[in-house]
Amino acid sequence: MNADALRGHMDALLLAVLEREPLHGYAIIEALRERSGGALDVPTGTVYPALRRLERAGYLASEWAVTGGRRRRTYRLTGDGRAALAGERSAWRSFTNVIGSVLDPLR
Amino acid sequence: MNADALRGHMDALLLAVLEREPLHGYAIIEALRERSGGALDVPTGTVYPALRRLERAGYLASEWAVTGGRRRRTYRLTGDGRAALAGERSAWRSFTNVIGSVLDPLR
DNA sequence: TTCTATATGTAGGCTGTCTATATGTAGACA
DNA sequence: TGTCTACATATAGACAGCCTACATATAGAA
């Protein structure tokens, strides 16, 4: 998966994976890998800064937890985050329509 | 249309729009706008450098022409460019599948 | 004890898209 | 004649997000 192609869609991916349940960073990476059938293997240097960015934006909230001697910062969607996710989904649909209309124009 | 979302897909758009016939830069911008129903309005500062990049890569070839007192650099797809376009289309399909699988997972 | 998996985080690099600017012609319109 | 818009190409520099590489640390298996 080309890194440039992902650009601008990472927020949508992160919000989507947190829709059902709160998760910590490492688990988010695994969830993305599973949901994508192994195609998405997002490096930590991408995910952790992005999560902080989304928290700063008010779309996520986090809290620390310790489980089995391991510290985790668990993120959950805020109300604004749910709204943002809806916007991202809508933007994704129009994005694919637009690019698709150029790549595979009606004959 | 968010600029970041476009990143990594511009090459595919440019190659696709040149598939049928050679075009010069300004006409390419218009073609993208038409094909996308007005959604794509790519600035010249994006298109001209991108076209040069694609020519350097061997996917496009260009030649100057003067029409009605106006100089135009007309680009056409090379053989390598056609192959690259096929690759871009395939990459686009898998890209949308991957992102889609995360955004709208099977219930 | 060593290795792997788990877990978080930062610094700095890379690169493609953008804004802003520069240059110039043709044709319409006043 | 002068001005405005459309046509047409091009570059410099800003910006931002994703990346690699590295640092740190615990748990459990081998």
Side-chain angles (χ1 to χ4, degrees):
Chain A
M1 175 64 58
N2 174 24
D4 272 325
L6 234 43
R7 184 137 170 173
H9 305 287
M10 188 59 69
D11 291 4
L13 295 178
L14 295 175
L15 295 175
V17 96
L18 288 171
E19 189 179 25
R20 307 279 187 90
E21 50 175 355
L23 291 172
H24 61 282
Y26 195 87
I28 289 172
I29 293 173
E30 288 181 320
L32 287 174
R33 185 162 39 226
E34 271 173 45
R35 278 218 218 178
S36 66
L40 277 176
D41 191 12
V42 189
T44 64
T46 296
V47 167
Y48 290 111
L51 289 171
R52 289 168 159 275
R53 183 162 41 76
L54 290 171
E55 187 171 23
R56 266 201 314 279
Y59 299 151
L60 300 180
S62 71
E63 47 192 31
W64 281 104
V66 176
T67 309
R70 286 195 168 100
R71 46 199 271 287
R72 296 169 168 175
R73 191 199 284 275
T74 301
Y75 289 90
R76 61 176 174 79
L77 270 188
T78 64
D80 280 1
R82 271 177 210 286
L85 175 56
E88 292 282 359
R89 282 206 169 101
S90 159
W92 170 252
R93 274 191 293 274
S94 69
F95 172 73
T96 54
N97 282 335
V98 165
I99 305 296
S101 71
V102 176
L103 282 192
D104 301 301
L106 302 176
R107 285 137 234 294
Chain B
M1 175 65 57
N2 173 24
D4 272 324
L6 234 44
R7 181 136 171 177
H9 305 288
M10 188 59 70
D11 291 5
L13 295 177
L14 295 174
L15 295 174
V17 95
L18 287 171
E19 188 179 23
R20 308 280 188 88
E21 51 176 352
L23 291 171
H24 61 284
Y26 195 86
I28 289 172
I29 293 173
E30 289 181 320
L32 287 175
R33 185 161 40 226
E34 272 174 44
R35 280 218 217 179
S36 67
L40 277 177
D41 191 13
V42 188
T44 65
T46 296
V47 167
Y48 290 111
L51 290 172
R52 288 168 160 275
R53 184 163 40 78
L54 289 170
E55 186 171 24
R56 266 201 314 280
Y59 299 152
L60 300 179
S62 72
E63 46 192 31
W64 281 103
V66 176
T67 308
R70 286 193 170 104
R71 47 199 270 287
R72 295 169 169 176
R73 189 199 283 275
T74 301
Y75 289 90
R76 61 177 174 80
L77 270 189
T78 64
D80 280 1
R82 270 176 210 286
L85 175 55
E88 293 282 358
R89 283 206 169 101
S90 159
W92 169 252
R93 274 191 294 274
S94 68
F95 172 73
T96 53
N97 282 336
V98 166
I99 306 295
S101 70
V102 176
L103 281 193
D104 301 302
L106 302 176
R107 287 138 233 293

